[in-house]
Structures are given as structure tokens and as C-alpha cells.
Amino acid sequence: MKNALLACLVSVSAVALYANAKDSHSNEHSHVSDQVIVSQRAMLAKTTKDKGFGPQAPRDIDSATGNNQRLFGAAPAYTEMNLCNIHFHKNAEHKGGEFTTYAGNGDGHGYQSGYQYSGHLSAAERKPVAGEVCPSKHGDLAAGDTIEVHYVHTSAKVEPGATLGSCLSDSIKNPQLRVETQVYVLVNDSNALDFGELTKHSAKNGLHQALNIPGNTGTPVQYAGSTTGPGYNETASPFQVTWSVRPKVSKVNIQTVGKWCEGNIFNEDHAHGVRNLVTNSDLLSKIPK
């Protein structure tokens, strides 16, 4: 049975890391005012001032600046770690590269906000598909939507599973964490990438590995950050995470994403909300060049 500390971490992360679709707020698509986001950022600054929190995520990967002085060692390459979780957010949590179009303020709880693919899609690629894709009380996915996929890795000896709890163990209470990040745009095109293939995983050399993370979407921007999710809009995440964010977008067949949501080992069936982009330099690490 997991000890009390681990149970606490899992409980916190299950609510705050992924902002599960069972949250009580409504599925309205109206956007809150700029002042709501300003107030959330002001509260985040207030609750973290002089508290010693480490650098946060997500961030603008095109900006290398940051003043946070809390240091931790970069996690090993993901090929030397165990894949523990895969999930995705509707719209990119990060900004930069080919995903710089702001989706708007959203509902103030992480939905309908974030960043979208800034490139061009054809009318055929955007053609609506029949039925709902990965539906939730916050809406479903449509052709033309952007998603940010997080391939979460841990230094702990674990099996892949649901939520951050799958990345922790009684044997290692402070495992190193790494998130390999890829932004995809959903298209109505059977010749586009297959999400089932992109999330395929198996044991390799004694480690659980994601086998098909794209290798042609630019040099990943690596930085020191934290866990994400809208539960951290007004308070900081205490987890230390090494991020690798690829700057280019890949196109994926929306139908294959829908199929994945119908059943996977991670118990993922919907898109999660996004955390506000962290812009306070005191909460950002400096990205090495």
C-alpha cells in the first residue's frame, strides 16, 4: 500500500496536474475578460513570492530569459527512463515555434485557452468528421484543432498507467521526471499520422519506452520547469520536471485520436485543460543556449 506522502502527491496531481473533465465548472465556450487572467497571474505572483518555488511550466519556448534561482539536475534522456504516462491537452500549453496563435482566455479554468497551430490547413483537412471525437463536458475535438501531447517519463521503476501517480513509487519518493512534448494538429486525412502508432509503447532494454515520438519536428527546447494543468493558475507546482518541447507541428488523423480515446492503458478519454502561460520571469528558468 502506498505510504501517506505518495498518496498525498497522487491526490494533488490527480486534481491539479490534469484538471480532470469531472470538474464542476460548466461547458460554456464564452471567454472570460483579460482582467480574470491578470488577476490569476497576480495571485500566482503573490502565493509564490519568497516561498522558494522552483521554475514553472508552461512557457514561451522562443524566449530564453528567466530569473528563477532554484536549480535541479536535468533528467536523463527519455531513452534512459521509464515511460509512465501519456496524455494530451486541447490547444498547446506552450507557446512558440509553429504554435503561436492565441486561442483566447477561455473559461478561466483552462478550457478554450492555450495556443494553436499558426500554419495553414486546407479546407479538406478541416472538413468535419461524423460523430464526436473524445467528447467531454467541455466539448469534443474537431478537425483543425491543436493538441499538445505529453509523454511523461520517470527514473522510478514503474509500469505505464494513469495520472502522475504512475510515475511515482514507494521505493523512490523523488524520482526525476521528464516530459517529451509534441504538438499535433488534427486533420481529416487518412494519410496523416496515426495516433495509435505515435503513442505505441513497449519494454525495450528493460525500460518502458514510447517507440514513435516524432524525430523530425525540430530540435527540442529543453528547460527546467514543473508539472502543468490549470489547477496551478494561482499557485505553483512543487514538482521538478525537465521539459523537451519540439518547435514544429505534425499532422495527425483525427479519427485515430478518437479511436485512442475509446480505450488505452492510461485511461485517457478526453483533452485536458491548459495552464496559463507562465510569464513571470521569477518563475522561469533560463534556457541554456
Side-chain angles (χ1 to χ4, degrees):
M1 191 173 191
K2 294 189 181 297
N3 59 37
L5 175 60
L6 181 57
C8 177
L9 291 175
V10 174
S11 175
V12 170
S13 61
V15 175
L17 176 59
Y18 301 130
N20 194 288
K22 295 180 181 178
D23 291 348
S24 60
H25 50 273
S26 68
N27 184 31
E28 292 187 353
H29 284 208
S30 58
H31 288 234
V32 298
S33 69
D34 290 346
Q35 186 55 47
V36 171
I37 308 302
V38 170
S39 296
Q40 289 177 338
R41 288 195 167 119
M43 181 59 70
L44 178 63
K46 179 179 179 180
T47 58
T48 57
K49 184 174 175 60
D50 298 326
K51 297 293 177 61
F53 281 101
Q56 301 291 296
R59 66 175 296 157
D60 183 342
I61 61 170
D62 289 339
S63 172
T65 59
N67 296 330
N68 192 277
Q69 299 300 307
R70 303 284 73 76
L71 300 176
F72 61 92
Y78 76 89
T79 53
E80 299 173 12
M81 305 178 76
N82 274 310
L83 174 75
C84 52
N85 181 260
I86 298 176
H87 66 277
F88 66 86
H89 300 255
K90 183 174 180 180
N91 297 324
E93 288 198 291
H94 289 84
K95 174 188 178 184
E98 295 183 337
F99 36 97
T100 57
T101 301
Y102 186 47
N105 294 335
D107 65 355
H109 300 280
Y111 295 92
Q112 295 87 52
S113 189
Y115 292 85
Q116 300 171 332
Y117 175 50
S118 48
H120 172 74
L121 295 178
S122 69
E125 289 175 319
R126 289 182 173 274
K127 184 178 179 180
V129 297
E132 293 183 315
V133 177
C134 305
S136 77
K137 68 191 304 181
H138 303 288
D140 58 352
L141 299 176
D145 281 347
T146 298
I147 62 173
E148 178 173 307
V149 177
H150 293 166
Y151 301 84
V152 190
H153 296 76
T154 178
S155 59
K157 183 177 175 61
V158 297
E159 299 286 330
T163 78
L164 181 62
S166 63
C167 304
L168 308 175
S169 77
D170 284 330
S171 300
I172 300 179
K173 297 182 177 64
N174 61 336
Q176 288 181 290
L177 300 172
R178 172 182 285 278
V179 180
E180 295 295 315
T181 306
Q182 177 63 55
V183 175
Y184 298 101
V185 61
L186 311 184
V187 294
N188 186 350
D189 182 358
S190 60
N191 293 318
L193 296 174
D194 185 321
F195 197 66
E197 290 296 313
L198 293 169
T199 55
K200 185 175 288 187
H201 56 91
S202 70
K204 184 178 180 181
N205 298 324
L207 296 170
H208 294 284
Q209 293 284 284
L211 303 177
N212 298 315
I213 299 175
N216 61 349
T217 48
T219 302
V221 176
Q222 180 168 302
Y223 74 93
S226 68
T227 52
T228 64
Y232 292 122
N233 278 344
E234 296 186 353
T235 186
S237 164
F239 296 96
Q240 297 177 330
V241 179
T242 300
W243 287 85
S244 290
V245 185
R246 290 151 179 79
K248 295 183 179 181
V249 170
S250 281
K251 296 178 180 179
V252 64
N253 179 359
I254 185 174
Q255 301 280 24
T256 64
V257 178
K259 183 177 180 180
W260 188 79
C261 281
E262 292 173 0
N264 56 77
I265 195 174
F266 309 106
N267 294 331
E268 293 291 328
D269 60 7
H270 65 277
H272 298 282
V274 302
R275 184 185 188 182
N276 293 339
L277 196 74
V278 179
T279 58
N280 181 348
S281 61
D282 289 338
L283 293 176
L284 294 173
S285 63
K286 185 175 181 179
I287 298 178
K289 295 184 178 180

